[in-house]
Amino acid sequence: MIKLIRQSVLPHFGIDATEAKISALGNGHINDTLLVCWSKGELVLQRINTQVFKTPHALVSNADKISHHLCAKALQQQYGLKVVSPYLTQDGELAIDLGEQGFWRAMSYLPHSHCIEVVKSAEEAEIAAKAFGHFASALSDFDATQLEDVIPQFHHLPGRIALLQQAVALDSAKRLEKCRYWVDYALSQQALLDELAEISPKLPLRICHNDTKINNMLFDQRDMSSMAIIDLDTCMKGHLMYDFGDMVRTFCSPEAEDSTALENVKVRQSIFAAICRGYLSELGEVLTEVEKRSLWLGARVICLMIGVRFLTDYLNGDVYFHIHREGHNLDRAANQFTLYQSLLDQETVLKANF
Ligand code: GN1
Ligand code: MG
């Protein structure tokens, strides 16, 4: 891939490939992300996975509109984080489509930025949750009709369950016997689907980030303050309970999402409380009462849903998420279902935060 980048991609961005240093960046499961350093600067280069993002032009256009809005807010002193902006091709385009050789885009790189994979303290959690809340608040006056749904029904639990049932019926990779326990577990959560069907229609549609993982909030490595929200790929209309839920999912466990040490996978109450404090400090005035009450639902739905998605991909033969070892998607699913169960087990204590 490096040869391809040097020969066919970097020239479109006006970068002298002979002197560029290229290295892998981040931990994404879908796109390929690289850091490119050359004499005049640094940038983030990304090959969009067009199997997953079927309308990549819409993706880069969405991200561009959002970064414009945030830059305008920053100029009015209403947005205090840094904004990642597109780095245009020499023809002034947001991306370059090389057909078989990929769909490429570039973005500014933020020096001194630092991302973490596992939250170590309540303080870190509160800082990150406040940053995601600040992001949502700055987008609360953005015209939602400007954004295209790059992945329709992205956070749609009934649809995800239906896809799991299809994968079970097909069992195309002949793996069902290896994961029957988790399939039965996932399909036994009807009560959550019922609760969701009742609450969802009462929630306003807002601009959501839709991937509020801890590693999508960059800290400033000099003082560990918040620096920027990144990965605008899935910014779409939706319900904010899911952004809250993805923070709970990725901040609360002391283990990474693919850890097999299931005995350690649990929701840390102090981190959960810190997420509530940080997020509501920015959005307390924006959210409706029903939205506030929906946050607890969003946490459970997101944890169950990602477990369902990993399990489905395991059954389908690992066609969606990048994997790095055999059984990786099953490990991820088991981990996330364990985290979901930990939420249920601590319901009374956790709900007292709202
Ligand atoms: C994927 O590629 P990445 O890490 O940004 C996925 C998210 C999942 C996440 C699980 C488009 O995000 O929905 O929550 O993995 N993105 C897409 O870690 O499916
Ligand atoms: Mg993402």
Side-chain angles (χ1 to χ4, degrees):
M1 178 156 75
I2 301 290
K3 194 169 157 212
L4 167 75
I5 293 173
R6 285 189 196 282
Q7 283 181 354
S8 310
V9 182
L10 292 184
H12 287 283
F13 291 96
I15 295 169
D16 178 0
T18 53
E19 51 154 340
K21 285 202 192 96
I22 304 168
S23 52
L25 188 67
N27 229 344
H29 294 352
I30 309 288
N31 299 324
D32 298 307
T33 310
L34 302 125
L35 175 64
V36 178
C37 306
W38 78 110
S39 63
K40 296 204 184 87
E42 296 154 317
L43 58 73
V44 177
L45 184 68
Q46 207 169 40
R47 179 165 65 181
I48 304 294
N49 180 334
T50 50
Q51 294 296 316
V52 169
F53 294 105
K54 307 237 186 291
T55 53
H57 286 287
L59 179 153
V60 290
S61 161
N62 280 358
D64 182 47
K65 287 172 186 160
I66 293 203
S67 65
H68 263 99
H69 183 87
L70 294 176
C71 286
K73 285 273 171 177
L75 281 175
Q76 298 158 32
Q77 319 288 326
Q78 288 172 22
Y79 189 63
L81 299 170
K82 291 202 187 310
V83 181
V84 171
S85 298
Y87 188 99
L88 301 183
T89 68
Q90 290 213 298
D91 296 336
E93 301 289 340
L94 291 169
I96 174 79
D97 189 352
L98 297 177
E100 293 276 285
Q101 296 181 321
F103 184 98
W104 297 85
R105 57 118 165 226
M107 292 157 284
S108 54
Y109 174 76
L110 299 175
H112 307 295
S113 59
H114 171 69
C115 80
I116 62 172
E117 296 298 325
V118 174
V119 167
K120 286 185 295 304
S121 66
E123 196 190 355
E124 273 179 3
E126 188 167 345
I127 291 170
K130 196 174 164 60
F132 278 119
H134 188 54
F135 176 88
S137 160
L139 289 170
S140 59
D141 60 347
F142 181 89
D143 173 13
T145 59
Q146 284 192 47
L147 293 188
E148 269 186 58
D149 278 353
V150 283
I151 304 184
Q153 303 209 312
F154 188 51
H155 287 327
H156 189 263
L157 184 59
R160 299 290 187 181
I161 297 267
L163 290 174
L164 172 62
Q165 284 166 325
Q166 261 179 39
V168 168
L170 277 175
D171 193 16
S172 58
K174 297 279 166 270
R175 291 176 169 176
L176 180 57
E177 279 322 309
K178 294 197 178 108
C179 61
R180 172 87 64 184
Y181 174 83
W182 290 117
V183 168
D184 291 345
Y185 179 86
L187 298 180
S188 68
Q189 304 303 313
Q190 185 58 39
L192 187 69
L193 286 158
D194 297 342
E195 191 181 335
L196 182 63
E198 196 214 317
I199 308 274
S200 291
K202 300 178 184 158
L203 297 170
L205 278 180
R206 303 209 188 253
I207 303 296
C208 300
H209 182 280
N210 286 319
D211 195 11
T212 53
K213 307 205 280 198
I214 186 62
N215 56 15
N216 279 336
M217 205 295 295
L218 299 182
F219 288 90
D220 186 325
Q221 67 183 14
R222 293 163 298 191
D223 60 3
M224 287 304 274
S225 60
S226 52
M227 181 182 259
I229 301 296
I230 58 166
D231 187 358
L232 309 180
D233 300 352
T234 42
C235 281
M236 287 178 279
K237 298 182 285 290
H239 300 317
L240 282 177
M241 64 170 174
Y242 297 130
D243 279 359
F244 176 83
D246 236 346
M247 290 192 289
V248 169
R249 176 179 89 73
T250 61
F251 296 16
C252 285
S253 174
E255 294 284 325
E257 87 184 352
D258 61 350
S259 163
T260 52
L262 297 186
E263 64 284 6
N264 298 337
V265 173
K266 59 174 175 307
V267 173
R268 290 174 289 179
Q269 293 173 2
S270 61
I271 305 288
F272 188 96
I275 297 173
C276 295
R277 278 199 305 279
Y279 202 55
L280 292 174
S281 71
E282 290 289 328
L283 286 172
E285 307 284 298
V286 176
L287 301 185
T288 65
E289 278 312 306
V290 189
E291 259 179 320
K292 282 184 198 160
R293 285 203 302 277
S294 73
L295 298 180
W296 169 244
L297 172 64
R300 286 170 295 150
V301 170
I302 282 285
C303 291
L304 181 70
M305 185 159 59
I306 194 71
V308 166
R309 292 176 60 197
F310 286 142
L311 186 58
T312 304
D313 198 34
Y314 175 71
L315 282 164
N316 287 341
D318 311 310
V319 291
Y320 186 94
F321 296 105
H322 291 168
I323 56 159
H324 306 292
R325 59 176 187 254
E326 213 187 309
H328 205 168
N329 273 317
L330 180 56
D331 291 346
R332 289 168 174 153
N335 177 308
Q336 298 294 288
F337 288 136
T338 304
L339 190 67
Y340 167 74
Q341 186 58 47
S342 169
L343 274 173
L344 303 189
D345 294 345
Q346 300 182 76
E347 167 157 6
T348 314
V349 182
L350 298 176
K351 267 175 87 175
N353 287 290
F354 300 110

